[in-house]
C-alpha cells in the first residue's frame, strides 16, 4: 500500500515535470510565420529614368501593390520591346513601351495581381527596359544584372519575354547565358545563327521555351521560330520547346504575334503564358 502510494506520487511528479518542460519548450519556440498576403490590387506601374549599361536610359517597373509591405521574394519577369519602342528613356519616350505586349496589358490594368499555379499564389515583378538601339548580349546582361541586384526577386524564377526585335535579342541572350533565366517566351522572332550550338545550351540547361509566330509574318520569317524549336528539341531536352503558330494575321506585315499571347485571358492547355512560366523553377 505504502509502495503504491510512492509510485503514484512519483508518476504525478514526472507528469508535472514533463508538462513544465513542454510548456517551456513551447514558450521558447518562435511563433509561426503568418501567411504572406495575397495581392488583390493592380501592380504599381511607374517609369524610371536611369542609365544602365551603354544602351538603356530608362525603364518601366511594375511592382506588386504590397511589395514594400512584405519581405517575400517575387518572380521576376523582364519584357523586351520591339524596334517600334526604341527610345532614349525620357518620360515621353518611355510611354512608347506601353503600346505593345505585356507593358500594354499592365498600362491598361489587365494584368492580374495574383496567379495561382500548383496551389501557390504568385505576383510578378515586371521590368521593361527601353533600349536606344538594338541591344547586344552585353546590354541585356547589364540590365538583367541590375534587375537582380536591385529588386527582391526569387532567383529560381527569372523569366524573359519579348516581341519582334526583343524576341530575337532574348533568345540570343538566353542561349548565350542559359543559367540566367528559368523560362523564355519569344514572340515573332528567334535567334537564327550558330543555331545548333546555342539550341543545345537551351536544352542542356533546361530552359523552358514557348515561342509564338504568325504563319504569314513578312517582317520576320516564321521559320526562325520553327527552326529554333526544332533545333532545341533535336537534343531531347528534359523540357521540350513548344511553338504556337497562329493562322495568317491581318496586322501590318502579318507581324503582331504578341497581342494575343500577352493577354492573360489567352490560354493553351489551361494556362496563359504567365502561368506557364510559373510552373517552372530553376534547380540550382
Amino acid at each position: 500500500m505504502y509502495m503504491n502510494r510512492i509510485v503514484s506520487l512519483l508518476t504525478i511528479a514526472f507528469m508535472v515535470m514533463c508538462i513544465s518542460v513542454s510548456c517551456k519548450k513551447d514558450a521558447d519556440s518562435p511563433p509561426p510565420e503568418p501567411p504572406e498576403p495575397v495581392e488583390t490590387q493592380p501592380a504599381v506601374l511607374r517609369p524610371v529614368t536611369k542609365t544602365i549599361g551603354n544602351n538603356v536610359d530608362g525603364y518601366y517597373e511594375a511592382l506588386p501593390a504590397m511589395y514594400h509591405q512584405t519581405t517575400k521574394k517575387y518572380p521576376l519577369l523582364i519584357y523586351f520591346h520591339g524596334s517600334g519602342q526604341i527610345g532614349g528613356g525620357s518620360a515621353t519616350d518611355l510611354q512608347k513601351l506601353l503600346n505593345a505586349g505585356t507593358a500594354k496589358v499592365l498600362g491598361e490594368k489587365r494584368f492580374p495581381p495574383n496567379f495561382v499555379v500548383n496551389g501557390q499564389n504568385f505576383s510578378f515583378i515586371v521590368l521593361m527596359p527601353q533600349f536606344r538601339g538594338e541591344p547586344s548580349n552585353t546590354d541585356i546582361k547589364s540590365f538583367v544584372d541590375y534587375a537582380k541586384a536591385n529588386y527582391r526577386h526569387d532567383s529560381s524564377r527569372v523569366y524573359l519575354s519579348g516581341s519582334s526585335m526583343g524576341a530575337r535579342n532574348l533568345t540570343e541572350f538566353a542561349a548565350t547565358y542559359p543559367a540566367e533565366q528559368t523560362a523564355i517566351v519569344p514572340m515573332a522572332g528567334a535567334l537564327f545563327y550558330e543555331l545548333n550550338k546555342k539550341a543545345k545550351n537551351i536544352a542542356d540547361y533546361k530552359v523552358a521555351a514557348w515561342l509564338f509566330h504568325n504563319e504569314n509574318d513578312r517582317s520576320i520569317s516564321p521559320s526562325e521560330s520553327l527552326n529554333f524549336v526544332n533545333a532545341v528539341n533535336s537534343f531531347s531536352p528534359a523540357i521540350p520547346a513548344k511553338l504556337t503558330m497562329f493562322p495568317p494575321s491581318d496586322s501590318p506585315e502579318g507581324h503582331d504575334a504578341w497581342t494575343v499571347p500577352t493577354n492573360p485571358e489567352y490560354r493553351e492547355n489551361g494556362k496563359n503564358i504567365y502561368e506557364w512560366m510559373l510552373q517552372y523553377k530553376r534547380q540550382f
Side-chain angles (χ1 to χ4, degrees):
M1 183 79 169
Y2 179 73
M3 289 299 296
N4 289 342
R5 186 176 179 187
I6 290 175
V7 171
S8 296
L9 289 171
L10 288 173
T11 302
I12 292 170
F14 179 74
M15 291 175 63
V16 169
M17 182 181 71
C18 289
I19 292 171
S20 175
V21 170
S22 176
C23 289
K24 185 175 187 307
K25 183 179 179 182
D26 290 344
D28 291 343
S29 300
E33 291 289 332
E36 292 284 0
V38 176
E39 296 285 349
T40 59
Q41 298 302 310
V44 179
L45 181 67
R46 77 178 184 103
V48 179
T49 298
K50 184 177 181 65
T51 298
I52 301 163
N54 296 319
N55 201 4
V56 171
D57 288 317
Y59 63 97
Y60 258 100
E61 69 170 23
L63 299 181
M66 291 187 284
Y67 178 82
H68 295 293
Q69 285 76 53
T70 70
T71 58
K72 67 185 292 185
K73 294 181 179 180
Y74 296 86
L76 172 63
L77 169 60
I78 305 177
Y79 187 88
F80 298 97
H81 63 78
S83 59
Q85 286 78 50
I86 283 173
S90 67
T92 302
D93 279 356
L94 285 173
Q95 283 289 323
K96 298 176 185 177
L97 295 176
L98 303 182
N99 292 335
T102 297
K104 188 173 191 291
V105 174
L106 280 158
E108 295 174 349
K109 298 189 182 301
R110 293 187 292 115
F111 194 83
N114 184 67
F115 297 86
V116 179
V117 176
N118 296 330
Q120 290 183 270
N121 293 293
F122 296 98
S123 298
F124 282 100
I125 297 168
V126 187
L127 302 180
M128 297 149 284
Q130 184 175 58
F131 296 101
R132 293 196 302 273
E134 183 162 2
S136 65
N137 279 340
T138 300
D139 297 328
I140 293 177
K141 185 74 163 55
S142 293
F143 189 83
V144 171
D145 288 347
Y146 167 83
K148 290 180 177 181
N150 289 276
Y151 289 87
R152 200 172 65 247
H153 72 288
D154 180 346
S155 60
S156 68
R157 297 183 184 275
V158 176
Y159 310 106
L160 307 183
S161 182
S163 54
S164 190
M165 178 188 78
R168 277 180 164 175
N169 301 146
L170 78 89
T171 50
E172 171 66 29
F173 174 80
T176 305
Y177 298 98
E180 293 288 336
Q181 60 281 302
T182 308
I184 59 174
V185 180
M187 295 163 282
L191 69 86
F192 56 90
Y193 62 94
E194 294 186 323
L195 185 56
N196 285 337
K197 172 185 173 183
K198 293 178 179 178
K200 188 175 188 301
N201 287 342
I202 296 290
D204 288 350
Y205 279 80
K206 300 178 183 178
V207 179
W210 186 3
L211 282 71
F212 293 84
H213 224 115
N214 292 332
E215 288 180 354
N216 67 327
D217 192 332
R218 297 180 298 282
S219 181
I220 295 179
S221 171
S223 65
E224 284 194 15
S225 293
L226 180 62
N227 292 341
F228 177 81
V229 168
N230 287 342
V232 172
N233 289 340
S234 71
F235 295 102
S236 301
I239 305 173
K242 61 181 291 187
L243 170 64
T244 295
M245 188 70 71
F246 290 130
S249 166
D250 60 3
S251 63
E253 296 295 312
H255 190 43
D256 181 358
W258 51 87
T259 295
V260 172
T262 55
N263 182 348
E265 295 183 3
Y266 175 82
R267 284 181 165 84
E268 290 188 26
N269 299 318
K271 289 182 175 62
N272 56 39
I273 62 170
Y274 311 106
E275 295 161 339
W276 176 85
M277 287 186 276
L278 287 167
Q279 71 183 320
Y280 296 106
K281 180 177 180 179
R282 178 165 287 284
Q283 303 299 320
F284 295 98

